[in-house]
Amino acid sequence: MKILMVCLGNICRSPLAHGIMQKLSDDNNLHWEIDSAGTSGWHNGNAPDSRSIKVAKDNGIDISRQSSRIITKADLDYYDLIFAMDKSNYKNILKLCSSSSQEDRVQLFLPFAGITERDEVPDPYYDGGFDYVYDLVYRACEGILVKVG
Ligand code: 4NP
């Protein structure tokens, strides 16, 4: 299984989803290939936000070596599942698609994972809330493990 986690900047939310999903996959000997990307490209080449690095580290996951990149059209064919952290990113990923088979791989992260309390991962870049985002993303990754694993 190849999974791409996508948010706007690829420095806050999707790096957490990437690190958590990779850890759950590894812990369950699943050999899934996980990556993350952003729809904006604003932070291309940057490490994750220090607040995401810290909350991941506090929970035993090292995401410090990740590097932000923009999503590409090639990703739409390469990955089996492409998870958008919010509806704006979902719409923007769909705009890149050129076939229904590509569109079918693009999913809104929380509803697909069976999380019912909300359908978007809130953007913590300006408002904070990294502990809540970590918890929400962790539960969603567990949901994906159960659904797809
Ligand atoms: P992310 O958060 O999409 O979770 O990585 C953001 C990061 C940067 C910006 C916005 C959201 N920004 O405006 O630069």
Side-chain angles (χ1 to χ4, degrees), residues 16-36:
L16 287 173
H18 174 179
I20 293 166
M21 196 77 254
Q22 189 70 65
K23 172 130 186 5
L24 291 178
S25 161
D26 294 348
D27 287 353
N28 288 277
N29 297 313
L30 284 170
H31 306 292
W32 286 0
E33 181 179 335
I34 317 292
D35 197 8
S36 60

Side-chain angles (χ1 to χ4, degrees), residues 3-18 34-41 69-72 75-76 79 81-94 96 105-110 121 137:
I3 294 177
L4 185 67
M5 303 293 190
V6 184
C7 62
L8 179 61
N10 189 210
I11 55 169
C12 295
R13 293 165 291 179
S14 59
L16 287 173
H18 174 179
I34 317 292
D35 197 8
S36 60
T39 53
S40 69
R69 70 171 180 89
I70 193 168
I71 187 172
T72 67
D75 291 324
L76 303 169
Y79 289 94
L81 285 166
I82 298 168
F83 289 120
M85 296 295 120
D86 64 34
K87 291 177 194 168
S88 166
N89 287 293
Y90 178 73
K91 284 184 202 144
N92 285 327
I93 301 165
L94 285 180
L96 292 175
R105 299 157 184 234
V106 184
Q107 300 286 338
L108 199 52
F109 184 52
L110 298 183
V121 180
V137 169

Side-chain angles (χ1 to χ4, degrees), residues 52-63:
S52 281
I53 292 176
K54 180 176 189 311
V55 73
K57 188 178 176 203
D58 289 347
N59 287 279
I61 298 177
D62 179 11
I63 63 166

